[in-house]
Amino acid sequence: MRKYFVLVSLILILTIAYPVTTSVKNKLNLVSTPQPNSIFPSPDQLPLQTPTGPPPAIPFQLPQGYRIGVFAKNLGSPRDLEFSPLGTLLVSLPDEGKIVALPDKNNDGVADSVKVILSNLNRPHGLAFYNNLLFVAELNRVVRYTWEEGELSATPNRELFTLPYNGGHNTRSLIFNKQGQLFVSLGSSCNVCNENHDWLAGVIVSDMYGNNPHVFARGLRNSVFLTVNPETDELWAGDMGRDRIGDDIPREEINIIRDGDNYGWPVCYGQ
């Protein structure tokens, strides 16, 4: 059995275990391939145990052979999930201004404890590890921390750069590609408007040290989460289109984000 983690209703973190075939492994590589210079285990190295947490009180319909259990609960409104290089799950709690660690040392699919790693942050959301350093995107800045796995602690190392306040979509996500480029997504300040800051409603990019942050792509109203295709090193992002013109219009998008491209907002949207 293979274990993976999902957020449900912003309240529970669940583990899902399922039988793994070659085709499934190939699909999972998109999201579970380790970052460069990381010692995070590959899918073939992950344990094969079944989650032992109680099933959630949510009407999931799982395929035959799948099992699901609660990994951690009573976290408030958890957002981003990120594994440390040695496999400890870190979770951002923007409403509480905290980052917590959920260790599972006996690997039974239930968190042993909830340890506060960072607190008194300004709506922290995006989390990423690179070269064994932890990067956190707050509402107003991106900060690098020195990570200590044995103590499950993070010490401020450097503020990379500040981010503009938008008053609207205030979740900032971040991710690294294989070349060490750091991408940060910033939502719009409104439903439909022309922004006063070039970085809003787009994705910016810098090097791993935070040098020369600049616009990578525009026209993305609210691309809350990012991932990198491990085969092509392309940046992918989901995007939430404008409101108030119907439940199904515009449709949500998954975009391959390319340097210099404009994805339409606020002028147009895809069909």
Side-chain angles (χ1 to χ4, degrees):
M1 307 294 285
R2 192 74 67 191
K3 296 196 304 184
Y4 280 84
F5 294 75
V6 295
L7 285 177
V8 177
S9 300
L10 303 182
I11 298 173
L12 306 175
I13 297 179
L14 311 177
T15 54
I16 300 177
Y18 47 88
V20 176
T21 65
T22 300
S23 61
V24 171
K25 287 180 183 177
N26 291 337
K27 293 178 181 178
L28 289 176
N29 282 339
L30 178 62
V31 294
S32 56
T33 297
Q35 294 286 348
N37 304 309
S38 168
I39 53 175
F40 180 74
S42 68
D44 289 331
Q45 297 171 319
L46 290 173
L48 304 179
Q49 295 158 332
T50 302
T52 59
I58 300 172
F60 272 115
Q61 293 183 353
L62 298 175
Q64 184 176 3
Y66 286 60
R67 298 182 183 180
I68 190 168
V70 176
F71 182 73
K73 60 183 180 179
N74 299 325
L75 295 175
S77 298
R79 291 291 295 185
D80 202 10
L81 307 179
E82 183 71 17
F83 285 100
S84 74
L86 289 180
T88 299
L89 183 64
L90 269 62
V91 182
S92 63
L93 305 176
D95 292 347
E96 298 182 25
K98 296 177 181 178
I99 309 296
V100 299
L102 305 177
D104 180 15
K105 294 182 180 180
N106 61 358
N107 199 39
D108 65 351
V110 177
D112 304 326
S113 61
V114 178
K115 180 175 181 181
V116 177
I117 301 301
L118 297 167
S119 60
N120 299 316
L121 304 183
N122 189 353
R123 297 197 61 80
H125 184 264
L127 306 172
F129 279 93
Y130 194 81
N131 285 349
N132 206 40
L133 295 167
L134 171 64
F135 295 76
V136 178
E138 297 180 58
L139 173 63
N140 60 328
R141 63 180 186 163
V142 175
V143 181
R144 184 177 69 198
Y145 294 85
T146 300
W147 173 249
E148 295 292 341
E149 182 74 32
E151 300 177 0
L152 294 181
S153 66
T155 305
N157 179 290
R158 178 188 173 191
E159 179 182 292
L160 271 62
F161 47 83
T162 59
L163 300 172
Y165 178 74
N166 62 0
H169 303 108
N170 53 27
T171 52
R172 282 77 163 95
S173 296
L174 50 75
I175 197 168
F176 285 89
N177 66 7
K178 293 178 182 178
Q179 281 71 47
Q181 290 179 297
L182 171 60
F183 298 93
V184 183
S185 65
L186 297 92
S188 68
S189 64
C190 61
N191 184 34
V192 178
C193 66
N194 292 312
E195 295 290 2
N196 293 322
H197 197 292
D198 286 344
W199 290 8
L200 296 179
V203 174
I204 63 173
V205 63
S206 75
D207 66 13
M208 69 181 75
Y209 305 106
N211 296 322
N212 188 30
H214 59 277
V215 173
F216 184 79
R218 306 174 189 271
L220 296 161
R221 177 177 174 271
N222 193 25
S223 290
V224 181
F225 290 103
L226 307 171
T227 192
V228 169
N229 185 317
E231 296 182 0
T232 65
D233 213 28
E234 293 175 312
L235 181 68
W236 289 40
D239 193 57
M240 302 178 187
R242 61 160 296 177
D243 299 328
R244 302 171 188 164
I245 53 176
D247 292 339
D248 301 316
I249 302 174
R251 295 181 178 180
E252 312 289 30
E253 299 175 345
I254 297 177
N255 295 304
I256 299 176
I257 311 299
R258 295 192 171 97
D259 190 7
D261 280 1
N262 188 313
Y263 292 82
W265 183 91
V267 177
C268 59
Y269 55 83
Q271 297 286 341

